[in-house]
Coordinates of all heavy atoms in Angstrom, one line a residue:
G1177 N 29.2 -148.2 -305.6 CA 29.2 -149.2 -306.6 C 29.2 -150.6 -306.1 O 29.0 -150.9 -304.9
G1178 N 29.5 -151.6 -307.0 CA 29.6 -152.9 -306.5 C 28.3 -153.6 -306.2 O 28.3 -154.6 -305.5
G1179 N 27.2 -153.1 -306.7 CA 25.9 -153.6 -306.4 C 25.4 -153.4 -305.0 O 24.5 -154.1 -304.5
I1180 N 26.0 -152.5 -304.3 CA 25.6 -152.2 -302.9 C 24.4 -151.3 -302.9 O 24.3 -150.3 -303.7 CB 26.7 -151.5 -302.1 CG1 28.0 -152.4 -302.1 CG2 26.3 -151.1 -300.7 CD1 29.2 -151.7 -301.4
I1181 N 23.4 -151.6 -302.0 CA 22.1 -150.9 -301.9 C 22.1 -150.2 -300.6 O 22.2 -150.9 -299.5 CB 20.9 -151.8 -302.1 CG1 20.9 -152.4 -303.5 CG2 19.6 -151.0 -301.9 CD1 19.8 -153.4 -303.7
D1182 N 21.9 -148.9 -300.6 CA 21.7 -148.1 -299.3 C 20.3 -148.2 -299.0 O 19.4 -147.7 -299.8 CB 22.2 -146.7 -299.5 CG 23.7 -146.6 -299.7 OD1 24.4 -147.5 -299.2 OD2 24.1 -145.6 -300.3
A1183 N 19.9 -148.7 -297.8 CA 18.5 -148.9 -297.4 C 18.2 -148.0 -296.2 O 19.0 -147.9 -295.3 CB 18.3 -150.4 -297.0
H1184 N 17.0 -147.4 -296.3 CA 16.5 -146.6 -295.2 C 15.1 -146.9 -295.0 O 14.3 -147.1 -296.0 CB 16.7 -145.1 -295.5 CG 18.0 -144.7 -295.9 ND1 18.5 -144.8 -297.2 CD2 19.1 -144.1 -295.2 CE1 19.7 -144.4 -297.3 NE2 20.1 -143.9 -296.1
G1185 N 14.6 -146.9 -293.8 CA 13.2 -147.2 -293.5 C 12.9 -147.3 -292.1 O 13.8 -147.3 -291.2
M1186 N 11.6 -147.5 -291.7 CA 11.1 -147.6 -290.4 C 9.7 -148.3 -290.4 O 9.1 -148.3 -291.4 CB 11.1 -146.3 -289.6 CG 10.1 -145.3 -290.2 SD 10.1 -143.7 -289.2 CE 11.8 -143.1 -289.5
D1187 N 9.3 -148.8 -289.2 CA 8.0 -149.3 -289.1 C 7.5 -148.9 -287.7 O 8.1 -149.2 -286.7 CB 8.1 -150.9 -289.1 CG 6.7 -151.6 -289.0 OD1 5.7 -150.8 -289.0 OD2 6.7 -152.8 -289.0
T1188 N 6.5 -148.0 -287.7 CA 6.0 -147.3 -286.5 C 4.6 -147.0 -286.5 O 3.9 -147.1 -287.5 CB 6.9 -146.0 -286.3 OG1 6.5 -145.4 -285.1 CG2 6.5 -145.0 -287.4
A1189 N 4.1 -146.6 -285.3 CA 2.7 -146.1 -285.2 C 2.8 -144.7 -284.6 O 3.6 -144.4 -283.7 CB 1.9 -147.0 -284.2
A1190 N 2.0 -143.8 -285.2 CA 2.1 -142.4 -284.8 C 0.7 -141.8 -284.9 O -0.2 -142.4 -285.5 CB 3.1 -141.7 -285.7
S1191 N 0.6 -140.7 -284.2 CA -0.7 -139.9 -284.3 C -0.4 -138.5 -284.3 O 0.6 -138.0 -283.8 CB -1.6 -140.3 -283.1 OG -1.0 -140.0 -281.9
G1192 N -1.4 -137.7 -284.8 CA -1.2 -136.2 -284.8 C -2.5 -135.6 -285.4 O -3.5 -136.3 -285.6
R1193 N -2.5 -134.3 -285.5 CA -3.6 -133.6 -286.0 C -3.7 -133.6 -287.5 O -2.7 -133.6 -288.2 CB -3.6 -132.1 -285.5 CG -3.7 -132.0 -284.0 CD -3.6 -130.5 -283.6 NE -4.6 -129.7 -284.1 CZ -5.8 -129.6 -283.5 NH1 -6.0 -130.2 -282.3 NH2 -6.8 -128.8 -284.0
L1194 N -4.9 -133.7 -288.0 CA -5.2 -133.6 -289.4 C -4.6 -132.3 -290.0 O -4.8 -131.2 -289.4 CB -6.7 -133.8 -289.7 CG -7.3 -135.2 -289.5 CD1 -8.8 -135.1 -289.6 CD2 -6.7 -136.2 -290.5
G1195 N -4.0 -132.4 -291.2 CA -3.6 -131.2 -291.9 C -2.2 -130.7 -291.4 O -1.8 -129.7 -292.0
E1196 N -1.6 -131.4 -290.4 CA -0.3 -130.9 -289.9 C 0.8 -131.9 -290.2 O 0.5 -133.1 -290.2 CB -0.4 -130.6 -288.5 CG -1.3 -129.5 -288.1 CD -1.3 -129.2 -286.6 OE1 -0.6 -129.9 -285.9 OE2 -2.0 -128.2 -286.2
W1197 N 2.0 -131.5 -290.4 CA 3.2 -132.4 -290.6 C 3.5 -133.1 -289.3 O 3.6 -132.4 -288.3 CB 4.4 -131.7 -291.2 CG 4.3 -131.3 -292.6 CD1 4.0 -130.1 -293.1 CD2 4.4 -132.2 -293.7 NE1 4.0 -130.2 -294.5 CE2 4.2 -131.5 -294.9 CE3 4.7 -133.6 -293.8 CZ2 4.3 -132.1 -296.2 CZ3 4.8 -134.2 -295.1 CH2 4.6 -133.4 -296.2
I1198 N 3.6 -134.4 -289.3 CA 3.9 -135.2 -288.1 C 5.3 -135.8 -288.3 O 5.5 -136.6 -289.3 CB 2.8 -136.3 -287.9 CG1 1.4 -135.7 -287.9 CG2 3.1 -137.1 -286.7 CD1 0.3 -136.8 -288.0
P1199 N 6.2 -135.6 -287.4 CA 7.5 -136.2 -287.5 C 7.5 -137.7 -287.1 O 7.0 -138.0 -286.0 CB 8.4 -135.4 -286.6 CG 7.4 -134.8 -285.6 CD 6.1 -134.6 -286.3
L1200 N 8.0 -138.5 -288.0 CA 7.9 -140.0 -287.7 C 9.2 -140.4 -287.0 O 9.3 -141.4 -286.3 CB 7.7 -140.8 -289.0 CG 6.3 -140.6 -289.6 CD1 6.1 -141.5 -290.8 CD2 5.2 -140.9 -288.6
G1201 N 10.4 -139.8 -287.4 CA 11.7 -140.2 -286.8 C 12.7 -140.0 -287.9 O 12.5 -139.5 -288.9
G1202 N 13.9 -140.5 -287.5 CA 15.0 -140.4 -288.4 C 16.3 -141.1 -287.9 O 16.2 -141.7 -286.8
A1203 N 17.4 -140.9 -288.6 CA 18.6 -141.5 -288.1 C 19.8 -140.6 -288.6 O 19.6 -139.9 -289.7 CB 18.8 -142.9 -288.6
A1204 N 20.9 -140.6 -287.9 CA 22.1 -139.8 -288.3 C 23.3 -140.7 -288.0 O 23.3 -141.4 -286.9 CB 22.1 -138.5 -287.5
S1205 N 24.3 -140.7 -288.8 CA 25.5 -141.4 -288.6 C 26.7 -140.6 -289.2 O 26.5 -139.8 -290.1 CB 25.4 -142.8 -289.4 OG 25.2 -142.6 -290.8
A1206 N 27.8 -140.9 -288.6 CA 29.1 -140.2 -289.1 C 30.2 -141.2 -288.9 O 30.2 -142.1 -288.0 CB 29.3 -139.0 -288.2
Y1207 N 31.2 -141.0 -289.7 CA 32.4 -141.9 -289.6 C 33.6 -141.0 -289.9 O 33.6 -140.0 -290.5 CB 32.3 -143.0 -290.6 CG 32.4 -142.6 -292.1 CD1 33.6 -142.5 -292.7 CD2 31.2 -142.4 -292.8 CE1 33.6 -142.1 -294.1 CE2 31.2 -142.0 -294.1 CZ 32.4 -141.8 -294.7 OH 32.5 -141.4 -296.1
H1208 N 34.8 -141.5 -289.2 CA 36.0 -140.8 -289.4 C 37.1 -141.9 -289.3 O 37.2 -142.6 -288.3 CB 36.3 -139.8 -288.3 CG 37.6 -139.1 -288.4 ND1 37.9 -138.1 -289.3 CD2 38.8 -139.3 -287.7 CE1 39.1 -137.6 -289.2 NE2 39.7 -138.4 -288.2
D1209 N 37.9 -142.0 -290.3 CA 38.9 -143.1 -290.4 C 40.2 -142.5 -290.9 O 40.3 -141.7 -291.8 CB 38.4 -144.2 -291.4 CG 39.5 -145.3 -291.5 OD1 40.1 -145.6 -290.5 OD2 39.6 -145.8 -292.6
Q1210 N 41.3 -142.8 -290.1 CA 42.6 -142.2 -290.5 C 43.6 -143.4 -290.4 O 43.7 -144.1 -289.4 CB 43.0 -141.1 -289.6 CG 44.3 -140.4 -290.0 CD 44.6 -139.1 -289.2 OE1 43.8 -138.7 -288.5 NE2 45.7 -138.5 -289.5
Q1211 N 44.4 -143.5 -291.4 CA 45.5 -144.5 -291.4 C 46.8 -143.8 -291.7 O 47.2 -143.6 -292.8 CB 45.2 -145.5 -292.6 CG 43.9 -146.3 -292.4 CD 43.6 -147.2 -293.6 OE1 44.4 -147.2 -294.6 NE2 42.6 -148.0 -293.4
P1212 N 47.5 -143.5 -290.6 CA 48.8 -142.8 -290.7 C 49.9 -143.7 -291.0 O 49.9 -144.9 -290.7 CB 49.0 -142.1 -289.4 CG 48.3 -143.1 -288.4 CD 47.1 -143.6 -289.2
G1213 N 50.9 -143.2 -291.7 CA 52.1 -144.0 -292.0 C 53.3 -143.1 -291.9 O 53.2 -141.9 -291.6
V1214 N 54.5 -143.7 -292.2 CA 55.7 -142.9 -292.1 C 55.8 -141.9 -293.2 O 56.0 -140.7 -292.9 CB 56.9 -143.9 -292.2 CG1 58.2 -143.1 -292.2 CG2 56.9 -144.9 -291.1
L1215 N 55.5 -142.3 -294.4 CA 55.5 -141.3 -295.5 C 54.2 -141.2 -296.3 O 54.2 -140.7 -297.4 CB 56.6 -141.7 -296.5 CG 58.1 -141.6 -295.9 CD1 59.0 -142.1 -296.9 CD2 58.4 -140.2 -295.5
A1216 N 53.1 -141.9 -295.7 CA 51.8 -141.8 -296.4 C 50.7 -141.9 -295.4 O 50.9 -142.4 -294.3 CB 51.7 -143.0 -297.4
S1217 N 49.7 -141.2 -295.7 CA 48.5 -141.2 -294.8 C 47.2 -141.2 -295.6 O 47.2 -140.6 -296.7 CB 48.6 -140.1 -293.8 OG 48.5 -138.9 -294.5
T1218 N 46.2 -141.8 -295.1 CA 44.9 -141.7 -295.7 C 43.8 -141.4 -294.7 O 43.8 -141.9 -293.6 CB 44.5 -143.1 -296.3 OG1 45.5 -143.5 -297.3 CG2 43.2 -143.1 -297.0
R1219 N 42.9 -140.5 -295.1 CA 41.9 -140.0 -294.1 C 40.5 -140.1 -294.9 O 40.4 -139.6 -296.0 CB 42.1 -138.6 -293.7 CG 43.4 -138.4 -292.8 CD 43.6 -137.0 -292.4 NE 43.9 -136.1 -293.5 CZ 45.2 -136.0 -294.0 NH1 46.2 -136.8 -293.5 NH2 45.4 -135.3 -295.0

């Protein structure tokens, strides 16, 4: 929320055979956050 926009895209040149699926690329990301406390923790 908050008016945030998730953006994905690329700008590339590629070649392949007609009639076949050609992979253009992609991206992968991961995050892990932990805030330990004496009597409370958030993960």
Side-chain angles (χ1 to χ4, degrees):
I1180 299 174
I1181 298 175
D1182 294 331
H1184 308 81
M1186 65 179 65
D1187 186 1
T1188 185
S1191 62
R1193 295 177 64 86
L1194 289 168
E1196 296 182 358
W1197 284 103
I1198 305 168
L1200 294 183
S1205 61
Y1207 65 88
H1208 179 79
D1209 179 36
Q1210 184 170 358
Q1211 298 177 352
V1214 177
L1215 297 176
S1217 65
T1218 301
R1219 292 179 295 277

